[in-house]
Amino acid sequence: MSDNNKPYILIVEDEAPLVTLLRYNLEKQGFRVEDAGDGGEALTRITEAAPDLLLLDWMLPTMSGIELCRQLRRRPATRTLPIIMLTARAEDQDAVRGLDTGADDYITKPFSTEALIARIRALLRRSGAVPQKLKLSFHDISLDPASHRVLRNGRALHLGPTEFRLLEFFLRHPKRVFSREDVLNAVWGRDIHVEPRTVDVHIRRLRKAINGPGEMDIVRTVRAAGYALDTDESATAA
């Protein structure tokens, strides 16, 4: 396989030994790897050639990983770029802050390369997964897995890869209530450890992405049960 056919991962990290370790293990797994030591260099590389996935350190010189993530999410070309944040900050609120800023996943240092590679593969599968070619629709939303396009009332919606997979999952099972554990297993996979709070963060991001002014919120929260895609509030009320 030529390098151009390999998934391209950009590592944005200023710790040279960690970059060397990650590069060695990722290239051994068949990925094409480049690295950048700070946010400015990362932006230049991403503009020149968009990666398939970004490994982004939280603590960077001149520009934090959080700020870089925020800037990338503002740009149409990188709005849905899969991003895994690497952080030494293990507090829940820090993880939630990273996810709220736009990261699709996070992993705390120190971590095993096997766990990181599993998360990379899972996120790449979700960002490019096309399990069925059939278009999905519910109420005024339609999703085309083949073209990766989502429309609501005829306007295009811009979803990150995790939010796209969440919506696709709900569209395949409309009006059915799923617990957080159900959603985690279906969207993240049983082999990936993700905190249940992560589901709530991505549900908020999904709502923000799909709901325009005056539009019904069709992602219902069912108290003590989970979530459902439903237009009938009484059917999912607590």
Side-chain angles (χ1 to χ4, degrees):
M1 178 185 292
S2 70
D3 281 352
N4 289 336
N5 292 326
K6 296 179 179 179
Y8 167 32
I9 296 178
L10 178 63
I11 303 170
V12 187
E13 169 66 66
D14 64 331
E15 295 180 26
L18 179 56
V19 172
T20 300
L21 177 67
L22 290 172
R23 178 185 285 276
Y24 171 78
N25 283 279
L26 289 169
E27 288 180 344
K28 192 167 67 170
Q29 292 295 320
F31 297 104
R32 179 165 67 94
V33 180
E34 299 292 341
D35 65 88
D38 59 55
E41 183 184 356
L43 285 173
T44 299
R45 286 186 174 274
I46 291 168
T47 301
E48 291 172 349
D52 295 301
L53 183 141
L54 191 68
L55 287 181
L56 177 59
D57 185 31
W58 180 303
M59 302 296 291
L60 291 169
T62 68
M63 181 193 299
S64 70
I66 287 286
E67 178 56 30
L68 176 57
C69 185
R70 187 176 290 117
Q71 289 194 27
L72 292 172
R73 289 306 183 227
R74 289 184 189 138
R75 298 180 172 192
T78 54
R79 189 174 288 139
T80 60
L81 170 66
I83 298 175
I84 297 179
M85 188 159 283
L86 311 177
T87 176
R89 309 168 74 111
E91 297 296 324
D92 277 352
Q93 58 266 33
D94 292 323
V96 170
R97 182 183 170 202
L99 292 168
D100 276 339
T101 303
D104 295 287
D105 200 355
Y106 71 94
I107 188 166
T108 55
K109 301 175 182 178
F111 52 80
S112 75
T113 53
E114 291 83 2
L116 177 61
I117 289 170
R119 291 186 179 213
I120 288 171
R121 291 194 185 282
L123 189 51
L124 286 173
R125 282 197 301 270
R126 295 200 300 273
S127 65
V130 194
Q132 293 184 19
K133 299 296 183 182
L134 196 64
K135 290 183 181 180
L136 304 169
S137 63
F138 178 77
H139 190 48
D140 54 4
I141 287 184
S142 64
L143 180 150
D144 186 349
S147 64
H148 226 67
R149 294 186 66 199
V150 182
L151 300 176
R152 182 163 192 178
N153 284 320
R155 78 176 191 282
L157 303 179
H158 302 286
L159 276 63
T162 302
E163 287 70 47
F164 183 92
R165 186 70 185 95
L166 262 177
L167 181 60
E168 182 180 11
F169 171 67
F170 283 124
L171 284 170
R172 294 191 188 281
H173 311 280
K175 299 189 176 185
R176 179 177 166 185
V177 179
F178 291 96
S179 69
R180 288 175 178 82
E181 184 177 355
D182 292 334
V183 176
L184 284 172
N185 289 336
V187 177
W188 277 263
R190 295 178 182 274
D191 57 333
I192 302 296
H193 175 69
V194 179
E195 293 297 326
R197 265 180 90 179
T198 302
V199 175
D200 300 331
V201 172
H202 285 286
I203 289 289
R204 288 201 303 271
R205 286 168 56 179
L206 176 61
R207 282 175 167 145
K208 183 177 180 181
I210 67 175
N211 294 327
E215 290 179 331
M216 174 184 290
D217 180 6
I218 63 173
V219 181
R220 300 293 178 195
T221 299
V222 186
R223 189 178 303 166
Y227 298 101
L229 196 69
D230 206 314
T231 56
D232 183 358
E233 295 189 36
S234 63
T236 57

